[in-house]
Amino acid sequence: RRSRGSTTMVFTRLAALAAVVVSVSAWTPSTPLTAVAHHRRTHAAARQVTAVQARRSTVSMPTTEPMVPWKPQGMESHQFVPISQRLYRERIVILGNFLDEEAANNLIAVLLYMKQDDPNKQISLYFNVPGALLKPTMAVYDTLKSMECPIMTLNLGLATGMGAFLCSAGTPGLRFCLPNARFLLQKTGLDDPFQGQAVDIGLKVADNIADNKRMAQALAQMTGNTYDKVAEDLNRDFYLSAFEAREYGLIDKVLIPERKTEPEQVADITGRKKAPVGGNNFGFGAFGDGQAKYQDSNTGSGFGGTTTIEEREEKEKPEEKPEEKKRKLGDI
């Protein structure tokens, strides 16, 4: 009995194993995939995914910086360049990010290049910075003081800490701000967390105190205030409005928008009516000669526009009928 039961159990297990083998063989394709077929299927699926992504992707410029047209000298067509490079050609530098070592090095390189390009032409610095590190800013300050060309500074919105210090580092008489601009004068602490032996920490703090003292002395010299007054003001955050900064000596003038002049009241020396243009080269957004370089000197828009309002009105005037022309001539 025992042998007969064991034999039955063996046959049962063999039948179950055979059923599993049959099911697996039925699931497996009769013709196995070759390496070439598998490669083709994989690449076809990848191409389909890429095509779907291409249809869904948004078409945009290759850079996030705005691009503007510019016509190189000797070229017949315009090309698009980043707006920062376009402003560099007009010797305009906009400082809009936190001024750390990398940003300070880039700014110094731009200033030195402009100095080499034309040592006498004015350089314009536009500020809207949330702050700056002390040592890199002092390096920029020393670079500005070593340049012979005039340095115009303009606070667009906010100049915090060493950014306000650099606004005052421009050439006297060429330091400006907009009416709603704000300044914040403050001491600068350690650039990075410092740890070590007590003696080393003491030396690091003493070096930072000496840097702040040199900064306060330079600020007192640029603003015309005494060192004691500046040092006292820097003990706490010292906020200044545009007009308060002018009274304090940080800037020389607040640029208030002038009232727009009617076009009919503006004329050139020949008496022809002409569209009003900015007359001050140091004004907000003014290019060196009042006209972008990529524009043609005989046009007003750079793309075939007319120069005077009189020519524009003549072009837009509707064509008169022949009878009206004869009446004017006195024939009828």
Side-chain angles (χ1 to χ4, degrees):
R1 291 179 181 178
R2 185 174 299 176
S3 60
R4 184 180 300 176
S6 60
T7 304
T8 304
M9 185 179 298
V10 170
F11 277 105
T12 303
R13 291 183 179 181
L14 289 176
L17 181 61
V20 171
V21 172
V22 170
S23 62
V24 170
S25 61
W27 177 80
T28 307
S30 57
T31 304
L33 291 176
T34 62
V36 176
H38 179 71
H39 181 75
R40 290 178 179 176
R41 289 191 178 185
T42 304
H43 277 265
R47 285 196 298 271
Q48 292 178 358
V49 173
T50 305
V52 172
Q53 293 177 351
R55 287 196 299 269
R56 294 180 179 178
S57 62
T58 303
V59 179
S60 60
M61 287 187 176
T63 177
T64 57
E65 187 175 3
M67 309 287 284
V68 295
W70 176 69
K71 184 178 180 181
Q73 187 176 3
M75 299 291 292
E76 297 182 356
S77 60
H78 294 79
Q79 65 182 21
F80 281 87
V81 297
I83 192 170
S84 60
Q85 297 183 14
R86 182 67 187 89
L87 293 176
Y88 287 164
R89 300 178 188 277
E90 300 295 338
R91 302 171 74 86
I92 296 176
V93 181
I94 296 182
L95 303 176
N97 297 322
F98 188 85
L99 195 64
D100 54 5
E101 289 86 354
E102 182 179 359
N105 292 336
N106 293 336
L107 177 58
I108 291 174
V110 171
L111 293 174
L112 294 178
Y113 175 79
M114 292 181 178
K115 176 184 177 181
Q116 180 66 25
D117 183 61
D118 191 343
N120 299 319
K121 191 175 181 180
Q122 175 181 300
I123 297 177
S124 301
L125 301 179
Y126 290 178
F127 291 88
N128 193 13
V129 292
L133 298 181
L134 195 151
K135 291 183 182 298
T137 304
M138 295 303 293
V140 176
Y141 169 77
D142 292 336
T143 304
L144 293 176
K145 291 304 179 182
S146 66
M147 303 183 71
E148 299 85 2
C149 59
I151 304 295
M152 189 274 285
T153 58
L154 174 63
N155 182 7
L156 300 175
L158 177 65
T160 303
M162 297 303 292
F165 175 82
L166 285 180
C167 282
S168 184
T171 303
L174 295 177
R175 303 175 300 176
F176 309 107
C177 76
L178 297 183
N180 292 315
R182 300 281 292 177
F183 295 83
L184 172 58
L185 295 176
Q186 58 183 183
K187 288 183 179 179
T188 304
L190 296 178
D191 297 342
D192 299 313
F194 185 80
Q195 60 183 0
Q197 298 182 3
V199 177
D200 295 334
I201 294 177
L203 294 175
K204 185 70 174 180
V205 172
D207 180 67
N208 181 256
I209 294 175
D211 289 340
N212 278 282
K213 184 177 180 180
R214 286 196 296 270
M215 183 266 292
Q217 291 174 346
L219 188 60
Q221 182 180 2
M222 292 185 295
T223 59
N225 297 311
T226 61
Y227 169 77
D228 294 336
K229 175 176 174 55
V230 174
E232 182 180 359
D233 294 336
L234 292 177
N235 286 333
R236 292 292 183 267
D237 289 350
F238 190 53
Y239 289 91
L240 294 169
S241 65
F243 296 96
E244 290 173 344
R246 183 189 62 182
E247 297 299 325
Y248 195 80
L250 278 177
I251 60 172
D252 302 307
K253 184 179 179 181
V254 179
L255 297 181
I256 301 177
E258 298 180 358
R259 184 177 179 181
K260 294 183 179 180
T261 308
E262 294 296 333
E264 290 77 8
Q265 300 177 1
V266 180
D268 57 12
I269 58 176
T270 62
R272 302 175 64 189
K273 290 182 292 183
K274 189 176 182 181
V277 295
N280 297 329
N281 290 337
F282 57 81
F284 172 55
F287 288 82
D289 54 359
Q291 178 175 273
K293 295 299 183 183
Y294 63 85
Q295 297 176 354
D296 189 278
S297 59
N298 297 324
T299 62
S301 64
F303 296 95
T306 55
T307 305
T308 62
I309 295 178
E310 188 177 43
E311 295 175 354
R312 198 175 303 128
E313 292 176 350
E314 187 68 24
K315 184 177 180 180
E316 296 176 355
K317 187 181 298 183
E319 186 176 357
E320 297 178 352
K321 297 181 180 179
E323 292 78 4
E324 295 179 354
K325 292 183 179 180
K326 292 181 180 180
R327 290 193 187 95
K328 290 183 179 180
L329 296 174
D331 295 339
I332 299 178

